[in-house]
Amino acid sequence: MTATVQDELRSIPEAAELEVGVTPGPRPGTVQVVVSGEIDFDNAMFLRRALLAALVSHRATLLVDLERVTFCDCAGLNALLAARHAARQAGRSLHITVAGLRVERLLNLTDTRSLLAGTPAPESR
């Protein structure tokens, strides 16, 4: 089963640069969330809603792929941290499995990489 938030977001101009795809994860008890585009103040709430919906509907660990994210500001980081908090409250977890250089830089600058890491941060890219 594949779900996407893109159709819901098309009607909202601010969210036009954001795509979120949700598919079953590679292991039982996981769900893969692939995010593409720009995450900023105008559309971060849609990312948060998509992550929370995936958490609730799949009742699984969220594996978040941010490799195709070209921009992420503090509002995007807040959405990720809020979803992580919700996952922990539900007895599950959220892990960023891969991220592009810009997202990695944001995570490292804010010292939040370890909170969202599925694996240790890469040495260099």
Side-chain angles (χ1 to χ4, degrees):
M1 176 177 137
T2 299
T4 183
V5 181
Q6 185 60 31
D7 293 334
E8 177 184 320
L9 300 179
R10 286 184 200 269
S11 62
I12 303 166
E14 302 88 28
E17 297 294 322
L18 180 67
E19 290 184 37
V20 180
V22 179
T23 59
R27 296 177 305 279
T30 63
V31 63
Q32 183 75 38
V33 180
V34 179
V35 183
S36 301
E38 297 181 1
I39 308 168
D40 59 23
F41 180 80
D42 291 330
N43 63 20
M45 74 174 146
F46 298 104
L47 173 62
R48 182 178 175 175
R49 287 180 189 166
L51 291 170
L52 294 176
L55 183 66
V56 170
S57 64
H58 294 279
R59 298 181 188 262
T61 294
L62 299 182
L63 304 176
V64 183
D65 177 337
L66 300 175
E67 188 170 32
R68 294 172 195 86
V69 172
T70 57
F71 176 81
C72 184
D73 66 8
C74 59
L77 178 59
N78 188 44
L80 292 165
L81 292 171
R84 175 193 177 268
H85 178 74
R88 289 178 56 88
Q89 291 291 328
R92 292 186 287 285
S93 57
L94 179 148
H95 302 286
I96 295 177
T97 57
V98 64
L101 290 175
R102 291 179 178 168
V103 174
E104 282 292 344
R105 183 167 189 259
L106 174 65
L107 296 175
N108 290 327
L109 285 172
T110 58
D111 202 23
T112 54
R113 183 60 168 115
S114 62
L115 294 175
L116 299 165
T119 57
E123 297 288 341
S124 63
R125 284 192 175 219

